[in-house]
Amino acid sequence: MAKNDLKLLGGWFSPFALRVQVALNLKGLDYEVVEQTLSPKSELLLKSNPVHKKIPVLLHADHKPICESLIIVEYIDEVWTNAPSILPQKPYDRANARFWLSYIDDKLLTSTKSILMAEDDEAKKPHLEQIEEVLEKMEEVFNKYSEGKAFFGGDTIGLIDIGFGSFMSWIRVTEDIIGIKVLDEARNPSLAQWAQSFAAHPSVKGLLPETPKLTEFAKLLILQWTASAR
Amino acid sequence: MGEVKVIATPQSFPCARIEWALRIKGVEYEYLKEDLANKSPLLLQSNPAHKKVPVLLHHDNPIAESLVILEYIDETWKENPLLPLDPYERAQARFWAKFIDDKCVFGVWGATVAQGEEKEKAIDAALESLAFIEKEIEGKKYFGGEKIGYLDIVVGWMSHWLNVLEELGEIELLTAERFPSLHAWSHNFIQTPPIKDCIPPRETVVEYFSFGINYVRSLEASTKS
């Protein structure tokens, strides 16, 4: 089998699958996307990720499947060492990149889901505060790491750009659904600018799902979440 | 390679992970014992995002989050590698580490604190998560193979802290009957130097967890009433 025999079990709606696609594109790799649906889950997905039954999954040549978006991205960076590097070179910078992604996955993703499920303004409040806090923090991180350049990774997109940037469409959708803007030019000028640069990057262009389509999808997903939470 | 300090508390297993890793690598470090009820300015300044232990300070540069710190330690000090060298094996080790922190730790904790009707379900979820780990250690001395590796360090809490949770939660999870390989591993791991040199006394772990369990249960009681 060819070394670069690559298949991605992904979904147009998934910010996690998007992380992997951007990484593959950045490395200039050829791959096939096998589009998945949330329900029913395909036999291939259930067989490839029996532990979590979730996308993304990377199928690479004869290897057993690799799961979890950020783990897949690090794998891609380690196997295809051609430029550009996704992770920084120095251990301290790598640790910082990993730390901030862990922070985003821990705080931003959970509070986004919670705010979408919240029934009224009172219930939304703590999650809104958390989201705003995270964005304020990431604005600081961007200003520090970018050193005046377009991305967290400097001239080129790196791990934080990929991990955080892939989530932008979902932030827009959340804003539409809750009727509150969280990421705006006034409060987070650097992030607002960066989000545009990220969307326009050649490895990302055309992959970000359009807000109206994703909003419709999100509304159905919220119904599912709410039903299973009861 | 310069000054290394660890901001930690002895009862915390994420902190133990860091000490184990540094000792395996033969790295000398200064232990800065933190009082979590009265957090130090150094901790708040070193980990403003979470205000939690452990934090590794290397040349006064702070690194937080135990799994992030473990990777930093492995990349900075090359002796006795913790993670496998092959990228595919590394991806697998990282996958299981994340699974352990996301599912096993929370699963076991959930089973410990649950009461009444929810307890049975919580126990089942915990057992399900442990079954995956049993499969990973089957036929191996350590998760890392012949020597202790990254995943052993991450799973290490199961060799000492888990038993305390079982006792406090009045549950039985890691038994030789149910998970023979994991059970055998946990006995072996806890007795291996340098692991056994930084195991906190059982009573301190009992006290630490009891406080947490009572806090969670009283929170739940107050939201239900």
Side-chain angles (χ1 to χ4, degrees):
Chain A
M1 241 183 252
K3 182 197 173 190
N4 286 357
D5 184 356
L6 283 166
K7 274 197 182 85
L8 170 64
L9 305 188
W12 65 270
F13 49 85
S14 164
F16 306 105
L18 182 56
R19 287 169 168 177
V20 178
Q21 266 200 280
V22 174
L24 290 166
N25 287 347
L26 198 60
K27 294 288 188 179
L29 297 168
D30 282 324
Y31 59 94
E32 184 194 338
V33 178
V34 185
E35 193 72 21
Q36 302 294 303
T37 51
L38 274 187
S39 157
K41 300 195 182 205
S42 70
E43 274 307 305
L44 180 59
L45 177 60
L46 296 175
K47 195 179 101 179
S48 305
N49 190 356
V51 177
H52 299 297
K53 307 176 179 59
K54 284 181 177 176
I55 57 173
V57 180
L58 188 72
L59 302 172
H60 176 210
D62 290 331
H63 291 299
K64 283 193 263 176
I66 301 150
C67 309
E68 294 294 313
S69 61
L70 296 176
I71 292 173
I72 300 171
V73 171
E74 289 221 32
Y75 173 80
I76 290 168
D77 203 34
E78 286 176 8
V79 173
W80 290 278
T81 51
N82 54 302
S85 285
I86 296 174
L87 270 95
Q89 296 306 308
K90 296 188 200 158
Y92 186 62
D93 297 332
R94 294 160 73 86
N96 278 325
R98 288 173 178 138
F99 174 84
W100 289 114
L101 279 169
S102 158
Y103 174 77
I104 287 163
D105 278 8
D106 183 23
K107 308 267 180 192
L108 186 61
L109 304 195
T110 44
S111 46
T112 303
K113 185 174 176 179
S114 299
I115 207 173
L116 286 170
M117 286 176 69
E119 283 171 5
D120 54 41
D121 287 346
E122 218 22 67
K124 285 188 182 126
K125 210 156 161 256
H127 309 300
L128 184 60
E129 280 170 13
Q130 173 83 98
I131 292 171
E132 286 173 346
E133 190 185 302
V134 171
L135 293 176
E136 197 184 304
K137 195 76 208 167
M138 294 313 293
E139 175 85 6
E140 253 180 64
V141 172
F142 180 84
N143 289 335
K144 190 174 165 193
Y145 289 10
S146 62
E147 293 177 339
K149 298 185 180 152
F151 302 108
F152 285 89
D155 282 319
T156 179
I157 61 175
L159 190 68
I160 303 179
D161 297 283
I162 294 174
F164 187 25
S166 297
F167 203 59
M168 285 300 121
S169 297
W170 274 90
I171 291 186
R172 295 291 172 228
V173 163
T174 304
E175 287 174 336
D176 274 0
I177 292 177
I178 66 175
I180 305 168
K181 212 143 181 3
V182 295
L183 177 55
D184 68 31
E185 295 76 16
R187 265 180 309 185
N188 327 98
S190 300
L191 286 187
Q193 176 66 51
W194 160 79
Q196 283 183 29
S197 305
F198 181 77
H201 190 281
S203 296
V204 180
K205 213 159 178 187
L207 291 178
L208 286 171
E210 282 168 21
T211 309
K213 187 181 177 195
L214 192 59
T215 303
E216 283 316 300
F217 177 87
K219 286 178 178 165
L220 287 173
L221 190 59
I222 294 165
L223 286 174
Q224 272 181 41
W225 287 338
T226 317
S228 61
R230 290 214 182 98
Chain B
M1 292 222 46
E3 264 184 357
V4 180
K5 295 176 190 165
V6 179
I7 309 175
T9 55
Q11 309 89 323
S12 146
F13 68 80
C15 295
R17 288 172 175 173
I18 308 312
E19 287 202 86
W20 292 334
L22 290 170
R23 286 173 187 235
I24 287 169
K25 298 271 188 180
V27 177
E28 288 192 13
Y29 59 95
E30 189 188 342
Y31 189 95
L32 302 175
K33 187 174 173 184
E34 188 68 29
D35 175 7
L36 293 178
N38 191 19
K39 293 181 181 179
S40 68
L42 182 62
L43 175 62
L44 298 177
Q45 172 191 316
S46 303
N47 188 3
H50 300 297
K51 307 176 177 56
K52 285 182 178 174
V53 290
V55 176
L56 182 80
L57 291 161
H58 188 204
H59 300 300
D60 294 324
N61 290 324
I63 301 133
E65 292 294 298
S66 66
L67 298 187
V68 175
I69 299 171
L70 288 177
E71 296 237 17
Y72 176 82
I73 290 171
D74 209 30
E75 288 172 5
T76 304
W77 292 279
K78 303 289 188 188
E79 310 71 9
N80 298 326
L82 300 174
L83 273 150
L85 297 174
D86 171 70
Y88 176 74
E89 302 292 328
R90 291 160 76 82
Q92 290 308 299
R94 286 169 176 151
F95 174 86
W96 288 115
K98 186 171 198 293
F99 178 83
I100 282 153
D101 274 5
D102 289 351
K103 301 283 179 195
C104 298
V105 171
F106 280 105
V108 170
W109 178 253
T112 303
V113 303
Q115 294 171 291
E117 283 172 18
E118 293 155 1
K119 197 140 179 109
E120 198 64 47
K121 205 171 154 203
I123 291 171
D124 284 343
L127 289 174
E128 199 184 301
S129 73
L130 292 177
F132 281 112
I133 308 305
E134 168 75 8
K135 277 219 286 237
E136 286 310 300
I137 192 64
E138 247 165 36
K140 287 154 83 170
K141 184 176 184 192
Y142 297 110
F143 289 92
E146 282 308 302
K147 286 161 74 171
I148 288 177
Y150 166 83
L151 202 48
D152 297 275
I153 292 175
V154 175
V155 183
W157 63 277
M158 290 192 195
S159 69
H160 185 62
W161 286 258
L162 174 57
N163 180 251
V164 174
L165 289 171
E166 286 175 318
E167 182 192 304
L168 292 173
E170 294 173 306
I171 52 180
E172 231 189 2
L173 298 172
L174 179 50
T175 63
E177 294 75 35
R178 247 189 228 124
F179 306 121
S181 303
L182 189 55
H183 192 260
W185 168 87
S186 80
H187 279 269
N188 180 36
F189 181 78
I190 195 95
Q191 284 164 37
T192 313
I195 306 301
K196 64 180 187 150
D197 303 321
C198 22
I199 299 289
R202 202 166 189 280
E203 317 80 67
T204 62
V205 182
V206 170
E207 194 189 315
Y208 179 67
F209 280 148
S210 297
F211 180 78
I213 292 166
N214 291 335
Y215 177 72
V216 169
R217 284 180 179 169
S218 65
L219 261 186
E220 280 182 9
S222 67
T223 53
K224 279 180 182 151
S225 56

